[in-house]
Amino acid sequence: MKKRDLMGQMRQRIALQAKTITKSEGIPLENWTTVATVWAAVSDISGKEYFQAGALQSEVTTRIKIRYRTGITTSMRVLYGSRVFQILSVIDKDERHRVIELMCKEVIPGGG
């Protein structure tokens, strides 16, 4: 795929967020801070439902492609509209420093 074709597919705006831990009265609090807002191509790859601990759970696997950038890790997350994604892996496609593929799992409130 030509670079121009791929960049044309990046029509969704996403936020890359990093977790920070702060303490309030000695209690650790988890906060998320947006470190970058970028254009992306978001595509769901698979979805499944299963039972765990007596409750129905949902899981969606999603591939998010963005232009190459450094500093993205699996400890970060992605916001896309009202959807939240846990980053499972960061792939430098073909090791060419042009495109990053983020393999993600959607965090579904009450669903896994």
Side-chain angles (χ1 to χ4, degrees):
M1 180 177 290
K2 292 182 181 179
K3 182 178 179 180
R4 184 172 306 179
D5 294 338
L6 179 62
M7 297 308 144
Q9 292 177 7
M10 294 183 183
R11 289 178 242 147
Q12 292 90 14
R13 204 73 168 146
I14 64 164
L16 297 167
Q17 294 190 319
K19 183 180 0 181
T20 57
I21 305 293
T22 58
K23 288 190 178 183
S24 175
E25 298 180 16
I27 300 170
L29 300 173
E30 181 180 286
N31 297 301
W32 291 92
T33 304
T34 298
V35 294
T37 301
V38 299
W39 292 103
V42 179
S43 57
D44 293 332
I45 297 172
S46 68
K48 65 180 178 178
E49 293 185 337
Y50 56 94
F51 280 95
Q52 181 177 359
L56 183 64
Q57 305 290 318
S58 299
E59 185 174 296
V60 176
T61 302
T62 302
R63 175 187 297 124
I64 300 174
K65 293 181 183 180
I66 63 172
R67 287 184 176 198
Y68 179 82
R69 65 183 301 124
T70 60
I72 301 173
T73 69
T74 56
S75 65
M76 299 171 81
R77 74 178 188 181
V78 173
L79 289 185
Y80 172 49
S82 62
R83 298 170 75 184
V84 179
F85 298 92
Q86 172 189 0
I87 299 174
L88 303 175
S89 63
V90 180
I91 303 165
D92 179 2
K93 190 70 175 165
D94 300 324
E95 296 290 322
R96 298 184 73 196
H97 302 326
R98 291 188 179 164
V99 175
I100 295 284
E101 286 188 3
L102 305 175
M103 300 306 294
C104 302
K105 178 174 84 168
E106 186 168 4
V107 177
I108 302 171

